[in-house]
Amino acid sequence: MSLFGLGSNRNQKTFRPKKNAPSGNKGVQLKKHIDATLGSGNLRDAVRLPPGEDLNEWLAVNTVDFFNQVNILYGTLMEFCTPTTCPTMSAGPKFEYRWADGVQIKKPIEVSAPKYVEYLMDWIEVQLDDESIFPQKLGTPFPQNFREVVKTIFKRLFRVYAHIYHSHFQKIVSLKEEAHLNTCFKHFTLFTWEFKLIDKAELAPLIDLIESIVSVC
C-alpha cells in the first residue's frame, strides 16, 4: 500500500512504474522512518531531518517518494488531461510553463500539459537513475550540485500540482480524490518549505493555499 492509501484506490493508474528508494541499508532505513512518521499523522514531524541523519540522504529518499506520489496522482487524470483539454502546461490564466531540459531541448518550447508531464517524468527518471547524482551504494558521496538538482526536480513537480489544482480540481472532486490530493500536496509543501527547495516566486500559482498550510501546521 502506498502513502495516504493511494495504493488501494480503485481509480489508481500509475503514470509509469514506481521508483524504489535508493538501495543500501541507509536508504531502506530512511524509507521506513518516512512511512512510520507519516503513519503518526503529524506531517510537520514527518518532513524533519531525523537526528543524526545525512541531509542529502534524506533529500534523496524523499525525492523518490514525492516523484511516486505525483506519478500516481497524475495517473488518475491521464484520460482527462489531454492535448485537446490542456493544449498548454498552465496554472491558471497567468502562468504557463514551457519545457527545456538543457540537453535534448535547450530552448524552451510550448507543449501540451500531458506532453510536459511526460517530458518531466522522463527527465526526473534520468536523474534518479544516474548513480553519479543519486548514489545507490551506501557511503558513495553525493555530487556538489546535488541540492540544485533536487531543487529543480521539486520546482518542476510543483508545476504538476499547480496544473492539477487550476485545471482539474473539479474532476478530482468528482473522483473523490481531493482528500488524497490535499494530503499529498500538504506533505509536499511542508517538505519543500522545511528545506527551502522552491523559490517563493515559483509558488505564486498556489501561494494562498501554501500560506494556509504552513501557517496552521
Side-chain angles (χ1 to χ4, degrees):
M1 183 173 182
S2 60
L3 301 179
F4 311 119
L6 283 166
S8 61
N9 193 286
R10 62 182 174 81
N11 291 316
Q12 178 183 337
K13 294 179 181 178
T14 303
F15 185 48
R16 59 193 60 218
K18 290 182 66 178
K19 303 294 290 185
N20 293 319
S23 60
N25 193 41
K26 178 61 69 176
V28 174
Q29 287 177 357
L30 291 176
K31 180 66 174 70
K32 288 180 178 178
H33 177 86
I34 293 171
D35 290 343
T37 50
L38 285 174
S40 72
N42 189 327
L43 291 177
R44 180 71 83 179
D45 286 344
V47 302
R48 291 194 179 105
L49 178 66
E53 297 296 348
D54 179 76
L55 175 59
N56 286 338
E57 295 274 6
W58 186 239
L59 291 175
V61 172
N62 278 277
T63 299
V64 174
D65 252 12
F66 286 114
F67 169 80
N68 287 332
Q69 286 179 32
V70 174
N71 179 27
I72 292 171
L73 280 169
Y74 187 75
T76 67
L77 294 169
M78 285 180 64
E79 62 187 288
F80 310 109
C81 185
T82 69
T84 301
T85 62
C86 304
T88 61
M89 180 62 174
S90 62
K94 295 182 180 180
F95 301 95
E96 178 181 317
Y97 304 114
R98 299 190 176 192
W99 178 257
D101 59 15
V103 180
Q104 294 181 326
I105 301 175
K106 296 184 179 181
K107 183 179 179 179
I109 59 173
E110 181 178 324
V111 294
S112 68
K115 190 64 178 177
Y116 185 100
V117 176
E118 179 185 336
Y119 278 137
L120 171 58
M121 295 305 185
D122 285 347
W123 177 81
I124 293 177
E125 282 195 309
V126 169
Q127 311 311 305
L128 297 180
D129 290 340
D130 187 339
E131 293 194 26
S132 71
I133 301 174
F134 283 82
Q136 293 293 308
K137 295 180 180 179
L138 186 63
T140 303
F142 288 85
Q144 289 187 343
N145 69 334
F146 179 70
R147 186 179 178 87
E148 293 308 309
V149 173
V150 168
K151 288 178 68 174
T152 302
I153 290 174
F154 276 87
K155 177 182 72 175
R156 291 175 170 176
L157 285 176
F158 169 80
R159 294 173 178 179
V160 181
Y161 275 115
H163 178 72
I164 290 174
Y165 272 105
H166 278 278
S167 299
H168 301 294
F169 188 70
Q170 291 308 311
K171 179 56 66 176
I172 288 283
V173 171
S174 71
L175 293 172
K176 297 182 173 21
E177 296 276 5
E178 70 269 25
H180 293 320
L181 172 63
N182 291 336
T183 303
C184 287
F185 184 64
K186 182 178 180 180
H187 183 204
F188 179 89
T189 295
L190 290 174
F191 188 83
T192 57
W193 201 266
E194 175 79 9
F195 298 104
K196 299 178 174 60
L197 297 176
I198 304 177
D199 293 339
K200 192 169 183 179
E202 285 282 343
L203 303 175
L206 296 177
I207 192 61
D208 290 343
L209 177 58
I210 290 167
E211 289 182 342
S212 71
I213 290 172
V214 299
S215 65
V216 300
C217 290

